[in-house]
Amino acid sequence: GSDDIIAGNVSKYTVLPAGYCGQLRKGHLIFDACFESGNLGRVDHITEFEYDLFIRPDTCNPRFRVWFNFTVENVKESQ
């Protein structure tokens, strides 16, 4: 569930639709938070335009998730 501990950051993680097994295409987003202050722990694909992002808790106070820092690559126009 959403209360599970997220241990690390995603690193050049490509999010593909469920059951997709073809080549990477434009619009298959690549998320990366593997850098200082990155805090994206998990990404779930919902639709082409919707993703659930799970932000890791703050190091000093696990009750808070008030900031986020990650990159997104491989977007297509109007996505």
Side-chain angles (χ1 to χ4, degrees):
S2 63
D3 292 335
D4 292 342
I5 294 173
I6 301 172
N9 291 325
V10 296
S11 179
K12 295 288 184 181
Y13 179 68
T14 304
V15 182
L16 299 172
Y20 183 83
C21 59
Q23 293 277 342
L24 180 66
R25 296 189 320 220
K26 199 74 161 166
H28 291 153
L29 301 184
I30 302 169
F31 291 84
D32 187 28
C34 195
F35 48 85
E36 186 177 354
S37 77
N39 69 335
L40 183 61
R42 193 175 98 211
V43 180
D44 293 344
H45 179 271
I46 305 300
T47 70
E48 179 182 6
F49 301 104
E50 184 178 359
Y51 296 80
D52 279 342
L53 306 178
F54 296 86
I55 305 300
R56 289 188 310 102
D58 186 77
T59 302
C60 296
N61 193 339
R63 293 179 46 209
F64 293 105
R65 292 173 173 89
V66 296
W67 57 275
F68 53 90
N69 196 2
F70 57 89
T71 64
V72 180
E73 302 173 34
N74 203 41
V75 298
K76 66 181 179 181
E77 188 175 338
S78 76
Q79 188 179 24

